[in-house]
Amino acid sequence: MDTDKIENNPTYQNLKKKLEGAESLQKITELAVSLGLTNNCFNELFEKLPDFRKQLELLSKGPDRFNHHFSKLGWIAHESMNTDMMLKCVELADQNKTEIAENHLIDYYSSEKIKGLIHSLKGIEAFSRRYNFFLLAFEDTIAKRYHAAVPVLLIMIDGTVNDIDKGKGFFADNTNLTAWDSIAAHSTGLSSLKEIFSNSRHKTNHNELSLPYRHGIIHGRDLGYANRMVTAKCWAALFSISDWADAVRSGKKIQPPLEPDISEEEIKLLFKKHLTTYEENKKNSILINKKLNEWKPRKILVGQNILEKGVSSDYIDFTPEQEAIKFAEYWTKGNFGAISEQIHHFSKTSKNKNMEAGKVRNVFIGKKLIDYKITKVLDCSPSISEITLYLNIEYEERIFEKHVTLRFIYQGTNNEMITFGDKGGKWKYINFFFHEIENIVYE
């Protein structure tokens, strides 16, 4: 990839613009001093800029450098890719150790480490429809049944893109796999990958493949496809397509208009406003630090100072154990909307309530909660607690006993983390344990 292509990458341009904005603040220091602000304020604000620049440059160029080294080998950078792994692979490739780097990628995309990425596929309808096939392909991958995993993944890749791009599959000539401000959907990403995977194969070939040539595999011409490398590249391609689909769903098919330039007077007002906020945050941080220093975990003995099982009103308000019991109560009533409202979302982007409730329904439908109780309460920090529940579940005329741990985060009205004891907050759990409920029959 040449320099022009790197600089034309929308993601690179976006990050570059943010860095230039930060550096512009330094240039107007004299202007701010004229407003009566002290230099000490600026020293605190700007002292981390060199580290910020270094990190930003590394991250912004990482995807393009990765694609430069690995796209011809059947790997592309994508949003959900492990960043540390991507940068490590770029570093190795820069040292002419591409084979070692590729082994890292193969190890990752053919192991248990992709379980979380597979679970995230349920968030997009085209993938959730095929979720059972992904689970089967994952089982085949872990069991080294690559002959079964690869065709299923290639077929499902084509089908998901068909659904998303309205009748044009991944391997179709006119499928548009680009999107604005997307790593996976950059012109050096999925489009490049499609071109490689779509390579025509007209002769029967017994040699071991290193790339998942769809035509040769599906039509029985490439007989050496059943290996770990080809399988890993199919999984990596699938997750890249999922990131493209997420960009399309977010309306990033077309680049939005550029923001107008800001005048010097507007910069002046914005800067003064941000510094006022900075001073307020500084005062608040002193109060928060005081709370943190005074905090101690509770000594909870289940069955002694809290009930193993009661109704939610039996528990102290604004506690994680009360919220855990509410979760069990909602489940017994089949109130999937209420369960979805309890989930902590790391992104502040507003969620479609009906869509989120539908995702929960897919996990819990058909699974009847017969009995439950609290077995353990652990306060990990002033804002995080873990509640372990014993669950007795009936599913498909069988009874399953499970212990699941709900990791709760205490947050305020603006989704900010607040400390235990503050009133008006809400304990919300991270839904990592959902896959244990969803796949209970396989355990």
Side-chain angles (χ1 to χ4, degrees), residues 23-35:
E23 290 174 334
S24 295
L25 291 178
Q26 285 184 303
K27 295 178 182 178
I28 61 170
T29 298
E30 291 182 5
L31 175 66
V33 170
S34 71
L35 297 172

Side-chain angles (χ1 to χ4, degrees), residues 63 76-86 108-109 113-114 116-118 120-121 124 127 182-185 235-246:
I76 62 165
H78 57 98
E79 278 78 358
S80 57
M81 175 179 269
N82 182 290
T83 305
D84 291 337
M85 179 182 66
M86 177 183 69
Y108 182 87
Y109 284 104
K113 293 177 183 177
I114 63 172
L117 291 174
I118 294 172
S120 70
L121 296 174
I124 300 174
F127 290 87
S182 168
I183 295 173
W235 280 115
L238 179 73
F239 299 134
S240 299
I241 290 166
S242 172
D243 290 333
W244 162 75
D246 193 51

Side-chain angles (χ1 to χ4, degrees), residues 176 197 325 354:
N176 182 1
F197 287 11
I325 292 296
N354 290 335

Side-chain angles (χ1 to χ4, degrees), residues 1 8 50 59 108 115 128 135 166 205 223 230 245 269 288 304 320 333 339-340 348 355 378 383 394 396 411:
M1 179 185 305
N8 288 332
L59 288 174
Y108 182 87
K115 206 168 186 179
S128 65
L135 292 179
K166 305 191 185 308
N205 174 29
L223 306 180
V230 170
L269 292 172
I288 292 171
Q304 294 186 31
K333 296 174 183 176
I339 293 176
S340 69
K348 293 183 180 180
M355 186 180 294
L378 176 64
S383 302
E394 181 182 336
E396 294 183 347
Q411 62 184 50

